[in-house]
Amino acid sequence: SYLVKDKYVLELGAGTGITGITAAILGATHVKLTDLSYVLENLRENVKTHLPLLQNLSETKNEIITTNQTYTSISDNEVSETISVSELDWARESTYPYSYWSRGRNRRGWDVVLAADVIWLEELVPLLVKVVDSLVVGETLLILSLQTRSQKTEDLFFS
């Protein structure tokens, strides 16, 4: 838990959100779960389902925003004070979350970037490298977990 506790965490290609939700349960200050637009509805539902597990949060932090309501200082759909969900299309730099914005607070950069099982198609590798290069700066810790599906794809990523 020391890797994410009290940290601002960004998850790339969150899918079901299990990795980012776990980071929130382990005490991350804020976790932003990102994926393509067609994944977001299911991702939000998964977060809402697992929100009660965030026992270390106060009652106000456990409130769920059930609509697409946004606050003037929030640029994405904040599901709770601790977890937000937003689109990140690696091919569209305009969707890159360079900083954390919430209710008037601004924080540049991310402490931790998570990416689990995101290297599976060869054509995605240059896009992933670009987004990682843009978001992992300074002291940012990148935690990458992968399953080899294609040695060629994996070799391309690590070259």
Side-chain angles (χ1 to χ4, degrees):
S1 72
Y2 72 93
L3 294 174
V4 296
K5 185 163 179 49
D6 301 323
K7 306 284 190 209
Y8 289 82
V9 178
L10 174 70
E11 183 179 6
L12 303 175
T16 62
I18 190 67
T19 304
I21 292 168
T22 301
I25 292 168
L26 291 173
T29 299
H30 187 84
V31 178
K32 181 185 287 283
L33 306 174
T34 65
D35 213 316
L36 295 171
S37 61
Y38 71 90
V39 177
L40 300 184
E41 183 178 344
N42 184 59
L43 186 52
R44 285 186 189 100
E45 288 305 313
N46 287 344
V47 170
K48 291 174 189 175
T49 298
H50 292 91
L51 216 53
L53 296 175
L54 304 175
Q55 296 171 354
N56 61 328
L57 302 176
S58 69
E59 287 301 314
T60 57
K61 288 185 178 179
N62 274 330
E63 291 176 12
I64 300 172
I65 298 171
T66 56
T67 66
N68 284 334
Q69 170 187 4
T70 57
Y71 299 93
T72 54
S73 60
I74 297 176
S75 60
D76 58 274
N77 187 24
E78 188 167 10
V79 179
S80 81
E81 183 75 12
T82 304
I83 302 177
S84 61
V85 172
S86 65
E87 179 182 9
L88 172 53
D89 181 341
W90 302 346
R92 291 185 15 241
E93 194 168 346
S94 63
T95 66
Y96 288 16
Y98 290 107
S99 62
Y100 168 69
W101 293 82
S102 177
R103 301 182 191 203
R105 294 185 308 273
N106 178 22
R107 175 171 167 61
R108 286 302 281 166
W110 299 94
D111 296 314
V112 179
V113 174
L114 304 172
D117 200 22
V118 294
I119 302 172
W120 53 282
L121 289 175
E122 205 172 314
E123 57 268 19
L124 293 178
V125 171
L127 297 172
L128 176 60
V129 169
K130 180 180 177 185
V131 77
V132 165
D133 188 51
S134 296
L135 299 174
V136 176
V137 295
E139 299 289 318
T140 302
L141 173 64
L142 172 65
I143 301 175
L144 175 69
S145 171
L146 67 116
Q147 172 184 340
T148 301
R149 293 199 169 104
S150 160
Q151 191 60 52
K152 185 176 180 183
T153 302
E154 189 175 316
D155 290 345
L156 179 62
F157 179 77
F158 288 109
S159 64

